[in-house]
Amino acid sequence: MLYDVSNRRIWFKGEILNVNDAKINILAPTSQFGLNVFEGIPCYWNDEEKLLYAFRLDEHYDRLIRSAKLMQFDLKYTKEDFKKALIDVVKANDYNENLSVRQTLFVDGFGSWASEGPVEMFVAPIPRGKTSAEYNKKGLNCCVTSWRRISEESLSPRVKCGANYINSRVGQREALRNGYDTCIFLNEVGKVAEGPGSCFFMVKGDTLITPRLTDSVLESITRDTIICLAQKELGFNFVERTIDRTELYMADEAFLCGSAMEISPIYTIDRYQIGSGNLGELTKRLHKSYLDCVSGKLENRKNWLTAIK
Ligand SMILES: Cc1ncc(COP(=O)(O)O)c(C=O)c1O
């Protein structure tokens, strides 16, 4: 049976519960200090095959394990446990639509920000509604935020830790206050890093360019997917390199990408028009290829998908 959003099922500490019954201690380090690591895992409904596909589960779980390792979590779950919990809870909700599954490891109990455990998990499928192709007809108006992206010298941007998102928040809030849709962060040395919940790509001439992983960016699964599709499926020229701020304003095309926003074109940055101020050709082709890939329509990329039966 299909549950409405407010009554959906959640996997919580080994049980499948109504989301309203999943309660976390207010004094737990996760509640107080954002001491959790998590993944947002996209699942796409393929209407022809009547199947839901989870995208790149292995890579999401590898990153979850790396995040937990860096934060020194006392981890009792294996990759197989992660996978089983996701499949069980998606099936328990009987979904036949696109989802984003939030899979979070959190430090529970009454400890402090230095505690290693107890580490618990929840897995919450969240229906996503439309894809970016449907709701993102208008491009993004971005600013370069005055806040800098967190760096290796303070909080590692490579991992998905809840507390990292306070940096995303200050940039996003500044953008909204000033009338923009979202922002682009520079890193500590003033080079382009990423968006608040997304990676940045631009096109110059016929070349797709993105900052290096050492420029203060998350080890993003979408970034990796786009690099792969651009080079192997579409034959685009691609370079991973440091990007200067002024290059943003002179780009021919630009977009932000991530599991949540998929590929979202940028039409202006700090009110400079990017390219023609419309959807660029390379971005359009990549977007189509990305959506085909995640929904199981690219035969040779089906190894990235896990069918939830
Ligand atoms: C800061 C940041 N960069 C990039 C991304 C995109 O990562 P992924 O493609 O793995 O969703 C996210 C996603 O949450 C993010 O928070």
Side-chain angles (χ1 to χ4, degrees):
M1 101 172 242
L2 274 176
Y3 296 95
D4 63 53
V5 171
S6 59
N7 282 314
R8 63 178 179 260
R9 272 33 194 169
I10 182 174
W11 191 104
F12 185 72
K13 299 186 181 180
E15 285 180 277
I16 291 181
L17 306 173
N18 181 302
V19 68
N20 304 301
D21 297 325
K23 303 264 196 293
I24 290 181
N25 168 14
I26 56 163
L27 288 177
T30 186
S31 318
Q32 292 283 300
F33 311 111
L35 194 52
N36 56 66
V37 294
F38 69 99
E39 289 298 316
I41 303 171
C43 298
Y44 286 84
W45 176 250
N46 182 314
D47 207 41
E48 281 134 49
E49 297 178 38
K50 303 285 175 226
L51 261 184
L52 192 64
Y53 283 116
F55 189 57
R56 300 194 74 176
L57 274 188
D58 270 331
E59 290 81 357
H60 277 284
Y61 293 146
D62 285 342
R63 183 172 64 186
L64 190 60
I65 290 167
R66 288 198 300 278
S67 300
K69 177 177 182 186
L70 190 73
M71 292 297 137
Q72 294 201 282
F73 278 16
D74 184 13
L75 192 59
K76 62 184 173 195
Y77 301 105
T78 63
K79 224 166 151 175
E80 282 315 305
D81 296 332
F82 293 153
K83 198 184 248 185
K84 182 170 184 324
L86 179 137
I87 291 174
D88 286 352
V89 72
V90 169
K91 280 165 68 173
N93 283 280
D94 207 12
Y95 282 125
N96 57 3
E97 60 188 302
N98 298 343
L99 306 172
S100 173
V101 180
R102 180 72 50 80
Q103 191 146 3
T104 300
L105 298 167
F106 60 95
V107 179
D108 204 359
F110 290 89
S112 77
W113 38 263
S115 303
E116 293 175 341
V119 173
E120 296 292 353
M121 176 162 74
F122 71 77
V123 193
I126 305 165
R128 300 163 57 103
K130 296 175 175 169
T131 65
S132 50
E134 294 160 309
Y135 66 72
N136 197 29
K137 298 245 162 35
K138 112 181 173 18
L140 298 169
N141 293 306
C142 298
C143 62
V144 173
T145 172
S146 63
W147 299 95
R148 292 298 165 103
R149 188 71 186 132
I150 46 174
S151 82
E152 279 290 313
E153 287 168 49
S154 51
L155 277 177
S156 174
R158 282 178 185 277
V159 299
K160 261 179 102 70
C161 169
N164 285 6
Y165 282 80
I166 299 305
N167 178 240
S168 301
R169 174 182 172 84
V170 292
Q172 180 66 23
R173 295 302 314 172
E174 182 182 61
L176 295 177
R177 258 195 329 273
N178 294 329
Y180 297 95
D181 297 316
T182 189
C183 69
I184 296 165
F185 282 94
L186 304 181
N187 62 21
E188 277 202 338
V189 293
K191 304 298 181 187
V192 174
E194 61 183 338
S198 52
C199 282
F200 175 81
F201 282 78
M202 68 178 193
V203 175
K204 258 188 152 179
D206 64 356
T207 304
L208 184 69
I209 308 168
T210 199
R212 299 169 307 177
L213 286 177
T214 46
D215 287 331
S216 294
V217 304
L218 179 71
E219 294 183 350
S220 152
I221 316 276
T222 316
R223 176 185 179 281
D224 184 71
T225 303
I226 287 170
I227 293 171
C228 223
L229 294 175
Q231 292 183 289
K232 305 210 172 110
E233 303 296 330
L234 299 168
F236 292 173
N237 295 328
F238 168 72
V239 186
E240 213 176 334
R241 68 159 172 83
T242 294
I243 298 176
D244 283 335
R245 177 178 186 158
T246 54
E247 288 187 275
L248 295 177
Y249 307 139
M250 297 182 285
D252 295 320
E253 299 179 32
F255 61 85
L256 291 175
C257 68
S259 303
M261 64 179 354
E262 300 173 334
I263 292 179
S264 295
I266 299 173
Y267 287 1
T268 67
I269 303 178
D270 287 342
R271 312 274 183 226
Y272 280 93
Q273 180 176 299
I274 304 306
S276 64
N278 275 304
L279 182 61
E281 197 47 40
L282 268 66
T283 308
K284 190 170 155 191
R285 289 178 59 197
L286 262 173
H287 195 186
K288 179 176 182 316
S289 173
Y290 181 79
L291 291 180
D292 284 350
C293 171
V294 291
S295 54
K297 291 176 194 148
L298 276 190
E299 230 20 79
N300 57 338
R301 295 285 160 194
K302 274 205 154 168
N303 58 328
W304 277 343
L305 307 180
T306 304
I308 300 178
K309 291 186 190 143

